[in-house]
Amino acid sequence: MDMKERLEQIKAEAIRQIEASEKLERLNEIRVNYLGKKGELTAVLKGMKDVAAEERPRVGQMVNEAREEIEKRLENFKQKMERVALEARMKAEVIDVTLPARKNNVGHRHPNTIALEEVERIFIGMGYEVVEGPEIEKDYYNFEALNIPDGHPARDEQDTFYITSDILLRTQTSSTQVHEMEKGRLPIRMIAPGRVFRSDEVDATHSPSFHQIEGLVIDKNVTFSDLKGTLAEFAKELFGDKTRVKFRPHHFPFTEPSAEMDVSCFKCGGSGCRFCKGSGWIEILGCGMVHPRVLTMSGIDPEEYTGFAFGVGLERIALLKYEIDDMRLLYENDIRFLKQF
Ligand code: DAH
């Protein structure tokens, strides 16, 4: 085969390979195979010594032409591949500016949490400590030490979930009072929020699990006036400056005297509306002076120390504050409801 034919063949094969290649890396391989130090065209140049001297310039020129042609094809094909790749990328990354923006969904605090933080803020501002007690309790802490002995009618009022005859799910956060008093660190100024349990049927105002906030103050010379002043201030902070309070005599086994506190209706100001069922007042919490027997059982001398306690339903506050009329809404975790707060 003469030199010219051979060169034509090499060139044609190189072009065929170039056009069949699918990746840029493949083009590089072809470049090396044909034009590289050990490539086919270089081999032809090396064989020049066998070519007659007068033929050499012509053959050299042919080799150069073949090299240039292959280089040109390589470059063209490379550009074509890059163009195709760029077009594909542009197509894939196209931004549709008419699409609606994606919303950043930020979480909301649960109404219970908002109400609790509000209550905590108020009492922390008055120098109270926030403490917690266990949800699973000994009968002693939930009843006995709160002056509710076996057989006391108050036990029936709080339908208790018993785990054993001696261990139960606390029915009231009042059990936390006992834990705090037992620590023996006086004076005490604490609130104790937490979950409580009663085997109640679910309805608009009842749930087998809800939350209370307990309050306890024990010091020398604490009187009922301190209780009234503190809780009146609490009501004002929570429901607004114009809020008035009223104490009605009541009975709790662990306080003596005991009372329930009403606040003037923050909706109508006390004149009577649908919200306060026409009475102008809304019942808000139970309270009283800690019973001397309760102090004694926890090792505090009632001759030296006195104190007051109170218990608030957290859900009740959340429902009132946000004018929600069904407690179940607080537990269903319906995002459409929760988003509003
Ligand atoms: N533990 C009571 C209840 O669950 C609420 C209560 C009333 C707590 C009076 C108190 C209090 O600390 O003094 O109904």
Side-chain angles (χ1 to χ4, degrees):
M1 193 199 300
D2 88 341
M3 198 55 105
K4 190 171 174 205
E5 251 175 84
R6 195 167 155 220
L7 277 172
E8 284 301 327
Q9 231 176 41
I10 293 174
K11 202 170 83 179
E13 177 59 15
I15 291 171
R16 198 192 58 73
Q17 287 186 9
I18 289 169
E19 301 203 321
S21 53
E22 286 172 348
K23 283 193 190 146
L24 281 173
E25 295 89 65
R26 175 71 189 131
L27 292 181
N28 255 334
E29 272 171 37
I30 296 171
R31 184 189 304 279
V32 172
N33 286 346
Y34 285 91
L35 313 177
K37 260 192 202 145
K38 291 178 183 159
E40 293 202 34
L41 272 187
T42 320
V44 172
L45 280 178
K46 278 182 187 155
M48 284 282 255
K49 56 183 181 314
D50 302 332
V51 174
E54 68 275 18
E55 285 285 292
R56 279 179 198 165
R58 205 174 55 87
V59 173
Q61 198 193 344
M62 271 164 35
V63 171
N64 275 342
E65 275 167 14
R67 163 180 288 274
E68 272 166 30
E69 175 73 11
I70 294 173
E71 261 169 4
K72 203 174 89 200
R73 296 279 184 145
L74 277 167
E75 184 55 30
N76 284 351
F77 206 77
K78 184 177 159 223
Q79 284 179 8
K80 191 173 143 205
M81 275 169 115
E82 282 172 347
R83 208 167 47 240
V84 169
L86 182 68
E87 269 165 24
R89 216 180 106 196
M90 301 255 271
K91 230 184 215 152
E93 289 181 2
V94 80
I95 295 170
D96 183 351
V97 292
T98 65
L99 278 177
R102 204 175 295 164
K103 253 205 196 143
N104 239 345
N105 271 324
V106 182
H108 291 244
R109 285 179 304 161
H110 190 279
N112 269 357
T113 308
I114 304 175
L116 175 58
E117 287 178 0
E118 176 73 357
V119 173
E120 287 183 347
R121 184 190 63 77
I122 296 169
F123 280 103
I124 288 169
M126 294 197 263
Y128 286 59
E129 193 186 348
V130 180
V131 304
E132 271 178 41
E135 290 173 3
I136 299 172
E137 273 292 9
K138 285 212 165 118
D139 180 286
Y140 176 80
Y141 290 95
N142 196 75
F143 291 128
E144 197 77 29
L146 290 165
N147 201 27
I148 312 174
D150 245 352
H152 193 288
R155 287 191 178 221
D156 302 332
E157 282 164 29
Q158 306 189 347
D159 298 302
T160 311
F161 286 115
Y162 280 95
I163 294 171
T164 68
S165 62
D166 189 38
I167 296 171
L168 46 78
L169 297 181
R170 69 177 173 193
T171 61
Q172 48 187 359
T173 46
S174 305
S175 51
T176 319
Q177 291 188 27
V178 183
H179 289 290
E180 280 309 294
M181 289 188 288
E182 276 187 350
K183 288 182 185 165
R185 285 198 305 257
L186 293 169
I188 294 169
R189 206 171 269 106
M190 67 112 195
I191 57 167
R195 193 185 281 276
V196 298
F197 306 85
R198 293 182 196 182
S199 73
D200 279 329
E201 293 292 328
V202 177
D203 65 24
T205 53
H206 292 87
S207 161
S209 159
F210 57 103
H211 299 80
Q212 291 184 329
I213 305 165
E214 196 74 16
L216 177 69
V217 171
I218 295 183
D219 203 345
K220 290 177 177 159
N221 305 315
V222 175
T223 67
F224 202 91
S225 300
D226 296 313
L227 177 158
K228 285 176 76 176
T230 302
L231 295 180
E233 186 57 32
F234 166 61
K236 280 197 176 118
E237 290 251 11
L238 195 58
F239 294 116
D241 250 2
K242 296 208 176 75
T243 309
R244 289 165 291 126
V245 295
K246 178 171 86 171
F247 292 85
R248 282 178 289 101
H250 200 78
H251 173 263
F252 297 105
F254 34 87
T255 45
E256 179 58 36
S258 304
E260 277 186 333
M261 183 176 91
D262 298 344
V263 295
S264 54
C265 179
F266 46 86
K267 202 81 199 167
C268 64
S271 57
C273 66
R274 200 182 57 84
F275 204 66
C276 54
K277 297 190 186 80
S279 75
W281 295 97
I282 298 170
E283 182 201 319
I284 196 88
L285 56 77
C287 56
M289 300 304 291
V290 181
H291 198 294
R293 198 139 42 183
V294 170
L295 292 173
T296 309
M297 272 189 278
S298 288
I300 296 172
D301 181 0
E303 298 295 330
E304 199 183 349
Y305 286 95
T306 50
F308 66 82
F310 54 92
V312 200
L314 177 60
E315 279 78 358
R316 182 152 176 76
I317 290 180
L319 296 182
L320 283 173
K321 255 188 111 63
Y322 296 109
E323 298 179 28
I324 303 164
D325 57 9
D326 193 326
M327 190 168 169
R328 284 168 289 199
L329 287 165
L330 294 177
Y331 303 122
E332 281 164 356
N333 287 335
D334 185 328
I335 206 79
R336 293 166 301 177
F337 169 77
L338 294 173
K339 256 173 144 162
Q340 304 173 93
F341 304 96

